[in-house]
Amino acid sequence: MKKKINRKLVLIATLAIFFTMLLITVVYYDLFRGQVFKDLRAYTMILTEYEDMSQIREVSDKLEEYEMRVTLVGEDGKVLFDSEADSASMENHGERPEIVEAMETGEGQAVRNSETLSENTFYYAVRLENGSVLRIAKDAGSIYSIFGRALPSLFMVLLALIVLCMVLAHYLTSKLIAPIERLAENLDESNDGTDYEELTPFISMIKEQHEDIMKNARMRQEFTANVSHELKTPLTSISGYAELIETGMASEEDVVRFAHGIHSSANRLLTLINDIIRLSELDGTEEEVSFERLNLYQLADTCVEMLALNAEKHKVTIRLSGTECYITGNKQMIEELLYNLCDNAIRYNNEGGSVSVEVYPKHGQTVLTVRDTGIGIPKEHQERIFERFYRVDKSRSKSTGGTGLGLAIVKHIIAKHNAKMELASEVGKGTTITVIFMG
């Protein structure tokens, strides 16, 4: 990044310096040209004061020392006198631009390039009272020759300025990149100070993303450790029971008991694997989820009927109340949400307790409430119960067969449906989870 910024700054500076020098040369040449014509006009006006040809010849001889050429042209364009050539052998000058202009307006000027293009000839002409035209010419450098002569000096200045620009570019780039480099070296520091206000949003965004990445990394690490632990427990039981049966150390009565233990551990393992797979699917679902119009009350009724036997087994009653309400959602996900909420309410309830499921409309929204009379959740744990594998009472979770992933799945499903969730719980009195669907 530094190199790119340096190169860009140096290139911009070089182009700016080059075109500035070129512009200065053009402006200088324009001023030079104006000064040459001004001098030629002054000398021409002086010569017009002389009427005698011998005087003009005398003055012309002196002007030759200053590389000026004097020419006198008659009204018919014929050269009457020239300080550098034989006038008799010279062609007619009647069509020369400066002569034509002088004949018409009294004064005329022109510039013609030499064959080599290294010099220009400047002409200034004045019409005399007798009708003839007096012209003075001077050879001077063209813009190309001036630029060529100045090129070595310009090149040295350009080189010095480029070196200076490179030093300044390096300094400015280092100063500009410094906050980003400090951020890269100290991403975990809470200091948000920067030399440039414009970089504050960028630095804040980078830090936020870094925190999210670190948080996700920790979550993945914890998830891997928890998965390993959760898989190890039932597998250890299965392996132990199977080994006792294999070695013949178990009696016929023990074989039946051990087989039941293997079956229970296998079911727990299968449930855990299914929950992990489902959670991974919800995490990785980036494509659009297919939604449809669903009768939430009907789905809740089906879920309550399905879990009635399980509730009876735990000596808990479960009932549904409310009215028919429709939401837009994914049927499979809503069924999972209902099942996990109701199953948790049954699993963590007390003997003789109850689970109440309600579906009703409120302020144009659809509300689902699952209320139980179970053990409740302490306040210090309420913010974390939706984390993966987090359990308030680990011993009770394992005895009831919970995987610790049910509420994590619920949280994902609610996020997919842009719904809101509220939790109210009191230890020993029960828990109420409310899900509010926007439409």
Side-chain angles (χ1 to χ4, degrees):
M1 184 177 179
K2 270 187 174 182
K3 289 182 179 179
K4 284 186 177 180
I5 295 176
N6 269 321
R7 283 199 296 267
K8 295 291 183 184
L9 288 174
V10 171
L11 178 62
I12 292 170
T14 302
L15 291 175
I17 293 167
F18 175 77
F19 285 111
T20 300
M21 288 186 169
L22 191 61
L23 180 63
I24 290 171
T25 304
V26 172
V27 172
Y28 168 75
Y29 180 74
D30 190 58
L31 293 173
F32 167 75
R33 173 175 166 165
Q35 186 61 46
V36 170
F37 276 125
K38 187 177 179 181
D39 292 343
L40 289 177
R41 185 178 186 279
Y43 286 118
T44 305
M45 291 305 173
I46 292 173
L47 283 175
T48 57
E49 300 296 326
Y50 298 98
E51 296 181 358
D52 190 355
M53 182 60 68
S54 61
Q55 291 178 321
I56 293 176
R57 289 179 186 276
E58 185 180 346
V59 173
S60 298
D61 291 339
K62 293 180 179 179
L63 289 177
E64 283 186 28
E65 298 177 9
Y66 301 99
E67 299 180 351
M68 291 186 185
R69 180 178 180 180
V70 180
T71 305
L72 184 63
V73 181
E75 288 184 82
D76 56 357
K78 184 178 179 181
V79 178
L80 302 177
F81 168 76
D82 189 271
S83 61
E84 292 186 359
D86 182 10
S87 58
S89 61
M90 296 177 68
E91 62 183 10
N92 192 287
H93 280 37
E95 294 182 0
R96 300 292 172 94
E98 67 277 8
I99 302 298
V100 172
E101 187 179 358
M103 290 287 189
E104 292 176 354
T105 64
E107 294 182 20
Q109 63 183 38
V111 179
R112 284 192 284 278
N113 295 328
S114 66
E115 294 180 359
T116 60
L117 295 180
S118 61
E119 286 189 346
N120 289 335
T121 303
F122 293 78
Y123 298 93
Y124 194 88
V126 176
R127 187 184 65 206
L128 303 177
E129 291 181 0
N130 60 10
S132 61
V133 175
L134 178 65
R135 185 187 72 177
I136 294 182
K138 179 175 177 59
D139 291 331
S142 67
I143 189 170
Y144 304 105
S145 62
I146 291 172
F147 187 76
R149 288 195 294 270
L151 192 59
S153 301
L154 290 175
F155 179 76
M156 294 301 294
V157 173
L158 180 64
L159 187 62
L161 288 174
I162 289 174
V163 172
L164 179 62
C165 287
M166 289 175 68
V167 174
L168 290 175
H170 178 74
Y171 171 75
L172 291 174
T173 304
S174 299
K175 193 171 178 60
L176 178 65
I177 300 299
I180 301 175
E181 290 180 337
R182 287 199 301 269
L183 177 66
E185 294 172 359
N186 306 288
L187 271 175
D188 295 321
E189 289 187 3
S190 58
N191 182 23
D192 291 330
T194 176
D195 299 336
Y196 309 100
E197 291 182 6
E198 295 82 356
L199 287 177
T200 301
F202 170 72
I203 291 175
S204 298
M205 183 183 68
I206 292 293
K207 285 196 171 185
E208 194 175 323
Q209 290 179 347
H210 175 69
E211 288 171 4
D212 289 341
I213 290 170
M214 296 304 294
K215 182 180 177 181
N216 290 332
R218 286 193 297 270
M219 286 177 63
R220 282 196 299 270
Q221 190 174 7
E222 290 175 8
F223 181 73
T224 303
N226 286 327
V227 167
S228 302
H229 177 73
E230 294 294 334
L231 291 175
K232 184 179 179 181
T233 303
L235 284 173
T236 301
S237 298
I238 291 171
S239 177
Y241 288 138
E243 186 179 1
L244 290 172
I245 293 171
E246 182 185 24
T247 56
M249 295 175 65
S251 63
E252 290 185 7
E253 292 179 1
D254 289 336
V255 168
V256 175
R257 184 165 58 86
F258 291 166
H260 176 72
I262 290 172
H263 184 253
S264 298
S265 295
N267 282 337
R268 175 174 169 75
L269 192 60
L270 186 60
T271 303
L272 180 62
I273 290 171
N274 285 334
D275 282 350
I276 292 171
I277 291 171
R278 183 58 183 147
L279 199 55
S280 297
E281 288 174 353
L282 290 171
D283 276 341
T285 303
E286 294 182 1
E287 64 270 8
E288 198 115 350
V289 179
S290 59
F291 288 145
E292 57 184 300
R293 198 72 176 158
L294 301 172
N295 187 332
L296 184 60
Y297 183 86
Q298 186 180 348
L299 292 176
D301 186 45
T302 304
C303 180
V304 168
E305 286 183 11
M306 182 173 60
L307 288 172
L309 187 61
N310 187 38
E312 186 180 339
K313 180 180 174 183
H314 285 80
K315 298 179 181 180
V316 173
T317 59
I318 183 170
R319 62 185 178 84
L320 171 67
S321 62
T323 59
E324 288 194 350
C325 295
Y326 288 85
I327 63 169
T328 301
N330 180 273
K331 185 177 180 182
Q332 182 187 354
M333 288 186 181
I334 297 300
E335 287 175 343
E336 284 183 83
L337 180 140
L338 286 164
Y339 179 86
N340 281 309
L341 289 178
C342 293
D343 184 58
N344 265 24
I346 294 169
R347 196 185 300 276
Y348 297 100
N349 216 315
N350 298 312
E351 285 190 12
S354 65
V355 176
S356 176
V357 182
E358 296 176 68
V359 177
Y360 56 92
K362 183 180 180 181
H363 304 308
Q365 300 171 331
T366 299
V367 180
L368 166 68
T369 301
V370 179
R371 183 181 293 105
D372 65 61
T373 58
I375 60 176
I377 305 167
K379 285 187 177 179
E380 63 269 20
H381 296 286
Q382 289 180 13
E383 291 184 1
R384 299 195 60 190
I385 61 168
F386 294 95
E387 295 178 11
R388 303 172 189 192
F389 293 111
Y390 188 82
R391 297 184 177 90
V392 177
D393 187 344
K394 295 184 179 180
S395 60
R396 184 181 178 97
S397 296
K398 291 184 179 179
S399 65
T400 57
T403 62
L405 295 174
L407 290 180
I409 292 173
V410 166
K411 182 181 177 182
H412 274 70
I413 293 173
I414 288 173
K416 295 286 183 185
H417 287 76
N418 294 320
K420 290 193 298 185
M421 180 171 56
E422 296 174 356
L423 171 69
S425 184
E426 192 173 343
V427 177
K429 292 187 177 181
T431 301
T432 300
I433 293 179
T434 303
V435 181
I436 303 170
F437 294 93
M438 302 303 173

